[in-house]
Amino acid sequence: MSFRPSLFRSFFLGGFECSSHRRFDGRRLDLIAGTVHDLLAAEDYGQLREHGIATARDGLRWHMVERVPGEFDWRPVLPMLRAAEAAGVQVVWDLCHYGWPDGLDIWSAGFVDRFARYAAAFARLHLEETGRGPFVCPVNEISWFAWSGGDTGRINPNARGRGDELKRQLVRAAIAGTHAVREAAPSARIAAVDPIIRVAPQSSRSAARVEGYNEAVFASWDMLAGRLAPELGGSPDMLDVVGVNYYWNNQWVDHGEPLSPFDPRYRPLHALLTEVQARYGRPLFLAETSIEGAPRASWLRYVCDEVRMAMQQGTPVEGICLYPVISHQGWENDRHCPNGLFDMKPVNGRRQVHLPLAAELRAQQRIFGGG
């Protein structure tokens, strides 16, 4: 492979689940607190380094930072930011991972304005603390957020039939946040992270409708780039780094079950990555991937084989993020989701390691060249 990734300090990243939204029943989730990552940030970043990982995805909890409009309390953030610096871990910070402050109307123009001020304030803080502009994802998974919160009512704002409206509002916020971060810290890098999916039709009669689903996955990136709905303010420079999320169930039969990689209708991951990179021509990384239980190591092997194939065929991929790197509680029922390199409950201040996944990670790091 002639391409040498250079965007991150390590080719493999570890992502900390940082969702902070309200569910359909109004209960707010806080996965950072739920996994006690807020209390064990130094140990968690240190354990990443022990496993050869020097870059992480992590998140701010906006609802805790800005309880009073315009007043920023960085106490929930500074211990994590300083712990990452001490451990030598580069962090891609999610500014909005589905959650926002209570009392703020997400449908209002005020939402966009407050988000921009908050984003700028964090950029200034990061610059003061580290001497560098931050690497941020302004709004995580705009397309999925819009579908789940705007069409299905599964998460806040618990709407139905307003998915496109919510997507446009989130794009407005992401664009405003990007401008604000760059104004405060011109060296900042910006990631636009969304899932890539593929739906297979059950019959030729549903083929056109299903193709619409498959094209819609690009809508938020197209809006950010100004290709779609340019009135939102998108432009090519709004797409800096593209992050693609891909899980074992990201391809399925329309109104049916997930597709097996051995199904002839399944589109290989390397082809999906190539399609995204060819469409946008921006630095690309696999921003989330995992599976639950015993298949964790074999899933990572499959993903790495596919990423390597994409790279060998000329698609530059900057990294692969194990997300989540810590197993966590289920959103809807608090069940234990065993999908991480590390277990949720620490023992004597350290996470227990899923040894098969750790061994596969070491093997893949050797193949990819140490990171």
Side-chain angles (χ1 to χ4, degrees):
M1 293 178 289
S2 59
F3 171 72
R4 292 298 174 199
S6 59
L7 187 63
F8 303 121
R9 292 182 187 172
S10 59
F11 185 76
F12 287 93
L13 296 77
F16 295 93
E17 231 288 20
C18 53
S19 299
S20 61
H21 58 281
R22 289 192 180 277
R23 306 188 315 186
F24 59 91
D25 59 1
R27 174 185 166 192
R28 183 176 300 273
L29 300 186
D30 183 345
L31 273 294
I32 288 179
T35 57
V36 293
H37 176 53
D38 52 344
L39 303 180
L40 294 178
E43 291 80 359
D44 289 342
Y45 292 137
Q47 282 197 259
L48 284 186
R49 294 304 307 266
E50 291 172 15
H51 289 268
I53 297 175
T55 302
R57 286 191 67 197
D58 213 324
L60 278 61
R61 292 169 288 178
W62 184 13
H63 69 286
M64 297 179 66
V65 168
E66 194 184 6
R67 296 181 189 272
V68 177
E71 297 182 12
F72 303 107
D73 179 359
W74 298 113
R75 286 176 296 177
V77 177
L78 282 170
M80 297 166 63
L81 177 56
R82 291 168 178 168
E85 283 296 295
V89 172
Q90 174 193 26
V91 180
V92 181
W93 296 99
D94 286 4
L95 302 184
C96 177
H97 201 110
Y98 313 135
W100 64 88
D102 290 335
L104 177 57
D105 180 4
I106 195 172
W107 306 104
S108 69
F111 177 87
V112 176
D113 294 340
R114 267 184 69 176
F115 180 73
R117 290 194 292 270
Y118 153 70
F122 174 69
R124 290 191 293 269
L125 176 78
H126 193 282
L127 193 59
E128 292 166 3
E129 286 285 325
T130 70
R132 304 183 312 277
F135 200 142
V136 300
C137 170
V139 181
N140 180 62
E141 288 195 324
I142 290 174
S143 288
W144 189 89
F145 191 166
W147 171 79
S148 187
D151 275 328
T152 72
R154 179 183 175 192
I155 68 171
N156 54 205
N158 310 115
R160 294 182 180 273
R162 300 180 71 181
D164 187 64
E165 183 183 354
L166 181 56
K167 184 179 296 182
R168 289 167 179 262
Q169 180 72 338
L170 295 172
V171 167
R172 289 188 192 96
I175 291 170
T178 297
H179 283 304
V181 166
R182 285 175 171 166
E183 184 176 351
S187 63
R189 300 303 301 266
I190 312 292
V193 175
D194 244 320
I196 190 77
I197 61 135
R198 195 77 184 169
V199 184
Q202 287 194 348
S203 69
S204 58
R205 289 178 296 179
S206 61
R209 175 171 50 81
V210 164
E211 190 52 39
Y213 297 157
N214 294 330
E215 181 63 20
V217 74
F218 299 107
S220 65
W221 289 318
D222 284 349
M223 289 176 181
L224 290 170
R227 300 179 183 183
L228 181 65
E231 69 276 8
L232 299 177
S235 60
D237 66 330
M238 289 295 102
L239 270 189
D240 179 12
V241 177
V242 174
V244 172
N245 295 348
Y246 190 80
Y247 292 90
W248 66 274
N249 55 354
N250 274 40
Q251 298 193 49
W252 64 91
V253 178
D254 186 30
H255 298 294
E257 296 298 315
L259 284 172
S260 161
F262 301 104
D263 191 300
R265 295 168 294 180
Y266 188 93
R267 189 165 189 194
L269 174 58
H270 74 266
L272 297 175
L273 294 171
T274 297
E275 181 180 7
V276 173
Q277 210 284 326
R279 186 170 181 130
Y280 299 110
R282 302 304 304 155
L284 174 75
F285 75 112
L286 192 61
E288 296 184 16
T289 193
S290 68
I291 194 171
E292 290 192 18
R296 276 175 274 188
S298 57
W299 175 254
L300 179 61
R301 188 179 315 122
Y302 163 75
V303 166
C304 289
D305 287 347
E306 289 292 312
V307 168
R308 208 157 30 245
M309 186 177 299
M311 295 172 73
Q312 289 167 347
Q313 293 178 358
T315 299
V317 181
E318 291 281 355
I320 299 171
C321 183
L322 281 65
Y323 195 104
V325 75
I326 297 176
S327 299
H328 60 91
Q329 311 101 318
W331 285 4
E332 297 180 359
N333 53 15
D334 292 327
R335 71 179 180 85
H336 179 234
C337 301
N339 49 9
L341 175 64
F342 307 134
D343 195 39
M344 181 173 67
K345 294 184 178 179
V347 176
N348 298 322
R350 285 180 59 82
R351 310 283 182 179
Q352 299 301 293
V353 178
H354 184 69
L355 296 178
L357 183 56
E360 186 61 38
L361 174 62
R362 287 194 299 272
Q364 294 297 334
Q365 286 169 327
R366 289 192 293 268
I367 296 170
F368 278 100

